[in-house]
Amino acid sequence: MTSPTPISRRKAIVVQKYGGSSLADAAALKGVAKGIAQRVKEGTQLVVVVSAMGGSTDALIALAAQISEHPKRRELDMLLSTGERVTMALLSMAIADCGVEAISFTGSQCGIITNDRHADARIIDVRPVRVEDELERGRVVIVAGFQGMSYKREITTLGRGGSDTTALALAAALHADSCEIYSDVEGVFSADPRLVNEAHLLDTMSYGSLESLARNGAKVLHADAVAWARRAGIQFSARKTGSSAKGTLVSAAKHSGVQAVTSSDKRLWIAASALTQSPIQALVWASHEGVLVNSENLHEETYGEACSTLSIVGEGLLDNAGLSEAFIDLCAPVLGWWSSDYGLHVRLTADRDLKALTRRVHAALIEP
Ligand code: ADP
Ligand code: ASP
Ligand code: MG
């Protein structure tokens, strides 16, 4: 899956990723470029993955919606992949103006190969030959996140928030020394800090717990990114752009107990009887009654019932006698509940006040 380690490695390779909120306008972008140039001058080889400038992916989706009610997913990919291309070129220019050589590449130029599931593709291989060549030449490589090329040579995108996955998949392929994911929050919190004032920063988190948190709605990381890090054994950190704080370190180290709570209102429940008629592919959590699907990247008509989920994550939750009852009681009435290796989850009707419920669960079940 990954390319061999270059033999003549002199400097540490660090992969950084900057999200849309860190690149919202020209001033923010120039600030990021300055920091990158400084780090390179200090002796680090940098690969920098960028998202589209804040809000621009949403703007492109809204534009497509004005043109067509059900645009083809292939054409959406052609459109949405342009957002990250804008940022990569601008950041490369800004870094050059700081006196450091930089070159930008699209996902396909970096050798990011995906399956052919448009709008929600999975990376199946990374062959970063061009990235390695440019690093050898002493350049900073800027990569458009969120996109790749399918084995049919079609442009694909990785699902909302997918730039994180570009960064971790590249870090794995390059055998990078570390990976730093920068956003507008200090790291991973015990709940979305925008919803819960009392949420606290988690200094460390295991791959499994964070993957479960992300898969069940926490936007702070893309779940597939965490899966790449877990498989490659890469420790990475989630940090705030412009801050020198260490943020959250994500590794294989385990922690028992409830670490965080998350929710999602972008779920569809497909009854088992309707499954044979459904065009939906995968991204599902199976149960004997039907399947739960993330609706965020579907962009098409589906035959399901809108619902919400709320999850608590951490290790060994089922060993804690009484925890599942307490959780279900707090969330009542629930349509159903299930457990996974790293969490307990409930399915709720779509009309529930998730903000209030998240606060209640955080106050009752998460230690300060
Ligand atoms: P970026 O654009 O940099 O990729 P995102 O908006 O995708 O950033 O992710 C950061 C956001 O994730 C934060 O602004 C925060 O509101 C949200 N978030 C949700 N759950 C959590 C959590 N448990 N910890 C930290 N942030 C969270
Ligand atoms: N720009 C894409 C999105 O808004 C990908 C990303 O930000 O990671 O979902
Ligand atoms: Mg994101």
Side-chain angles (χ1 to χ4, degrees):
M1 289 277 278
T2 56
S3 60
T5 313
I7 299 159
S8 60
R9 165 90 53 85
R10 293 182 308 270
K11 299 174 182 173
I13 294 183
V14 175
V15 176
Q16 296 187 330
K17 178 255 164 176
Y18 292 92
S21 52
S22 309
L23 303 162
D25 53 29
L29 204 132
K30 283 183 183 179
V32 167
K34 228 168 136 186
I36 290 168
Q38 180 63 31
R39 187 88 174 256
V40 172
K41 286 173 187 167
E42 286 163 10
T44 305
Q45 288 188 298
L46 277 188
V47 175
V48 181
V49 176
V50 291
S51 292
M53 291 170 84
S56 65
T57 306
D58 288 335
L60 289 171
I61 292 173
L63 190 57
Q66 284 177 39
I67 302 292
S68 165
E69 221 174 296
H70 296 296
K72 285 219 166 78
R73 290 161 72 96
R74 177 193 183 277
E75 303 308 332
L76 266 178
D77 276 354
M78 293 300 255
L79 179 69
L80 299 192
S81 58
T82 64
E84 272 68 12
R85 291 181 67 149
V86 169
T87 337
M88 74 174 194
L90 293 175
L91 187 63
S92 181
M93 293 173 198
I95 292 170
D97 280 358
C98 297
V100 167
E101 272 203 76
I103 182 165
S104 64
F105 286 136
T106 63
S108 68
Q109 286 174 309
C110 290
I112 295 178
I113 316 293
T114 73
N115 64 11
D116 64 350
R117 199 166 73 209
H118 283 290
D120 197 19
R122 292 286 160 274
I123 298 176
I124 53 178
D125 198 6
V126 183
R127 299 176 199 151
V129 189
R130 295 194 68 184
V131 177
E132 286 165 345
D133 283 353
E134 296 301 337
L135 287 175
E136 284 288 307
R137 290 188 181 112
R139 293 184 174 142
V140 183
V141 180
I142 315 299
V143 177
F146 174 58
Q147 56 186 273
M149 184 179 67
S150 76
Y151 52 83
K152 296 176 180 168
R153 302 185 74 82
E154 291 279 14
I155 299 300
T156 51
T157 63
L158 307 177
R160 298 306 306 268
S163 299
D164 299 333
T165 302
T166 306
L168 266 310
L170 260 180
L174 292 165
H175 302 277
D177 297 86
S178 67
C179 181
E180 301 161 359
I181 306 289
Y182 288 94
S183 74
D184 59 350
V185 282
E186 286 79 5
V188 183
F189 283 71
S190 53
D192 185 341
R194 291 182 201 283
L195 294 187
V196 182
N197 289 337
E198 296 73 28
H200 57 267
L201 180 67
L202 299 166
D203 294 332
T204 55
M205 217 177 174
S206 72
Y207 298 126
S209 294
L210 182 54
E211 192 177 334
S212 180
L213 193 73
R215 212 55 81 212
N216 290 290
K219 214 182 145 200
V220 63
L221 253 298
H222 196 234
D224 290 348
V226 189
W228 270 92
R230 171 173 50 75
R231 288 191 297 264
I234 298 180
Q235 290 192 2
F236 69 95
S237 54
R239 304 175 182 206
K240 182 170 176 146
T241 303
S243 160
S244 57
K246 280 190 288 192
T248 303
L249 180 69
V250 183
S251 74
K254 308 240 178 205
H255 310 264
S256 55
V258 185
Q259 272 201 298
V261 53
T262 186
S263 64
S264 175
D265 59 0
K266 297 187 175 63
R267 290 283 167 99
L268 278 179
W269 178 252
I270 320 280
S273 55
L275 277 174
T276 47
Q277 302 156 27
S278 167
I280 296 171
Q281 303 167 319
L283 248 201
V284 286
W285 285 262
S287 99
H288 56 284
E289 301 161 63
V291 291
L292 196 54
V293 179
N294 274 350
S295 61
E296 190 172 46
N297 301 314
L298 289 176
H299 304 291
E300 64 198 16
E301 256 186 301
T302 47
Y303 313 98
E305 177 198 340
C307 63
S308 296
T309 57
L310 197 121
S311 307
I312 48 175
V313 308
E315 274 113 46
L317 302 194
L318 279 180
D319 302 339
N320 180 339
L323 179 65
S324 32
E325 286 94 303
F327 177 51
I328 292 162
D329 279 355
L330 280 165
C331 299
V334 307
L335 296 169
W337 77 279
W338 72 103
S339 64
S340 61
D341 283 349
Y342 295 94
L344 294 170
H345 319 266
V346 289
R347 187 165 63 86
L348 308 164
T349 51
D351 58 358
R352 296 292 296 277
D353 182 347
L354 290 179
K355 195 171 173 176
L357 203 50
T358 304
R359 287 182 178 151
R360 192 191 310 164
V361 169
H362 189 274
L365 300 182
I366 296 191
E367 285 169 24

PDB file of all heavy atoms in Angstrom, residues 17 161 164 219-220, ligand 3:
ATOM      1  N   LYS A  17      -1.839  19.791   8.204  1.00  0.00           N
ATOM      2  CA  LYS A  17      -3.086  20.028   7.478  1.00  0.00           C
ATOM      3  C   LYS A  17      -3.779  21.255   8.068  1.00  0.00           C
ATOM      4  O   LYS A  17      -3.914  21.374   9.297  1.00  0.00           O
ATOM      5  CB  LYS A  17      -3.994  18.803   7.562  1.00  0.00           C
ATOM      6  CG  LYS A  17      -5.340  18.983   6.867  1.00  0.00           C
ATOM      7  CD  LYS A  17      -6.453  19.194   7.849  1.00  0.00           C
ATOM      8  CE  LYS A  17      -7.707  19.752   7.226  1.00  0.00           C
ATOM      9  NZ  LYS A  17      -8.809  19.868   8.205  1.00  0.00           N
ATOM     10  N   GLY A 161     -15.161  16.934   5.034  1.00  0.00           N
ATOM     11  CA  GLY A 161     -14.099  16.861   6.048  1.00  0.00           C
ATOM     12  C   GLY A 161     -12.916  15.987   5.638  1.00  0.00           C
ATOM     13  O   GLY A 161     -12.002  15.730   6.437  1.00  0.00           O
ATOM     14  N   ASP A 164      -8.545  15.844   6.134  1.00  0.00           N
ATOM     15  CA  ASP A 164      -7.807  15.193   7.229  1.00  0.00           C
ATOM     16  C   ASP A 164      -7.273  13.842   6.749  1.00  0.00           C
ATOM     17  O   ASP A 164      -6.150  13.448   7.079  1.00  0.00           O
ATOM     18  CB  ASP A 164      -8.729  14.924   8.436  1.00  0.00           C
ATOM     19  CG  ASP A 164      -9.312  16.191   9.033  1.00  0.00           C
ATOM     20  OD1 ASP A 164      -8.682  17.251   8.915  1.00  0.00           O
ATOM     21  OD2 ASP A 164     -10.420  16.108   9.615  1.00  0.00           O
ATOM     22  N   LYS A 219     -17.174  16.674  14.270  1.00  0.00           N
ATOM     23  CA  LYS A 219     -16.573  17.175  13.035  1.00  0.00           C
ATOM     24  C   LYS A 219     -15.072  17.415  13.164  1.00  0.00           C
ATOM     25  O   LYS A 219     -14.401  17.682  12.167  1.00  0.00           O
ATOM     26  CB  LYS A 219     -17.273  18.518  12.751  1.00  0.00           C
ATOM     27  CG  LYS A 219     -17.469  18.824  11.297  1.00  0.00           C
ATOM     28  CD  LYS A 219     -18.114  20.190  11.161  1.00  0.00           C
ATOM     29  CE  LYS A 219     -17.594  20.895   9.924  1.00  0.00           C
ATOM     30  NZ  LYS A 219     -17.808  22.337   9.977  1.00  0.00           N
ATOM     31  N   VAL A 220     -14.553  17.320  14.372  1.00  0.00           N
ATOM     32  CA  VAL A 220     -13.171  17.763  14.605  1.00  0.00           C
ATOM     33  C   VAL A 220     -12.141  16.980  13.781  1.00  0.00           C
ATOM     34  O   VAL A 220     -11.107  17.532  13.406  1.00  0.00           O
ATOM     35  CB  VAL A 220     -12.850  17.756  16.117  1.00  0.00           C
ATOM     36  CG1 VAL A 220     -12.927  16.362  16.718  1.00  0.00           C
ATOM     37  CG2 VAL A 220     -11.535  18.408  16.417  1.00  0.00           C
TER      38      VAL A 220
HETATM   39 MG    MG B   3     -12.619  19.384   9.094  1.00  0.00          MG
END
